[in-house]
Amino acid sequence: SVAPIAMIHLEVACVAILGSYFVAHRRDPGLLRDAALVALASLLGEDSVIRAYGFYAYAPGWHLRVDHVPLLVPTIWAPVVLSARAVARAMFPGVTAAREAALVGALVTFDAFLIEPIAVRADLWAWSEPGVFHVPVIGILGWGFFAAAVTWLLRRFDGGPRWIAVPLSVLA
């Protein structure tokens, strides 16, 4: 288990990184709106998966939880997904929604491939199912699928009905 002082340091560092990201994008209301939608979808998706399957659990040292999920986790996933979207758009200007979603999914899968084993080794969470470096394949691919779905949905439902991306990406 992570020592309480180490967890506080990690959480403070996460808040500082998140603060920097959102301050840097404060003049982009579209990005901030999308971040809120992605974070909400991440929270609902993650909590529902934990409840439905029980394949993993967060270390008890996390603070500010919403049910089974530390609030920082879905808040962090928003910049991860949206940064991957920015990379996809920079690499391929004018890319179709489907290709953008596929590229974002691939980038987030690669990110999860790197981060998941490190986080498990650091005892930030643990999987109850076996896998490479104690992470089952679905633990890596699941976030890639989610990122692809939410990216495509946010692009598909431009304007007012963007909120529909939240329940639909959770289902995906």
Side-chain angles (χ1 to χ4, degrees), residues 29-156:
L31 184 125
L32 297 176
R33 178 202 57 224
D34 287 353
L37 293 172
V38 172
L40 180 59
S42 298
L43 172 64
L44 295 174
E46 189 149 7
D47 197 60
S48 63
V49 167
I50 291 171
R51 285 181 161 279
Y53 304 108
F55 285 163
Y56 64 99
Y58 284 94
W62 286 93
H63 298 88
L64 299 174
R65 290 177 183 257
V66 176
D67 200 21
H68 297 287
V69 181
L71 187 58
L72 275 173
V73 172
T75 308
I76 291 164
W77 271 109
V80 169
V81 171
L82 297 175
S83 294
R85 183 179 74 176
V87 168
R89 289 177 176 177
M91 289 175 61
F92 302 102
V95 68
T96 66
R99 287 189 178 163
E100 179 182 87
L103 185 54
V104 168
L107 289 168
V108 170
T109 298
F110 180 71
D111 177 81
F113 176 76
L114 298 173
I115 296 301
E116 280 286 335
I118 293 168
V120 168
R121 177 83 170 135
D123 291 327
L124 298 177
W125 56 82
W127 289 88
S128 60
E129 298 296 315
V132 179
F133 301 114
H134 306 286
V135 179
V137 173
I138 192 61
I140 295 167
L141 294 178
W143 279 111
F145 291 139
F146 168 80
V150 76
T151 298
W152 184 82
L153 288 161
L154 286 174
R155 184 119 168 231
R156 170 69 178 88

Side-chain angles (χ1 to χ4, degrees), residues 1-13 61-63 124:
S1 179
V2 179
I5 192 71
M7 183 59 84
I8 291 291
H9 288 137
L10 174 71
E11 290 172 326
V12 167
W62 286 93
H63 298 88
L124 298 177

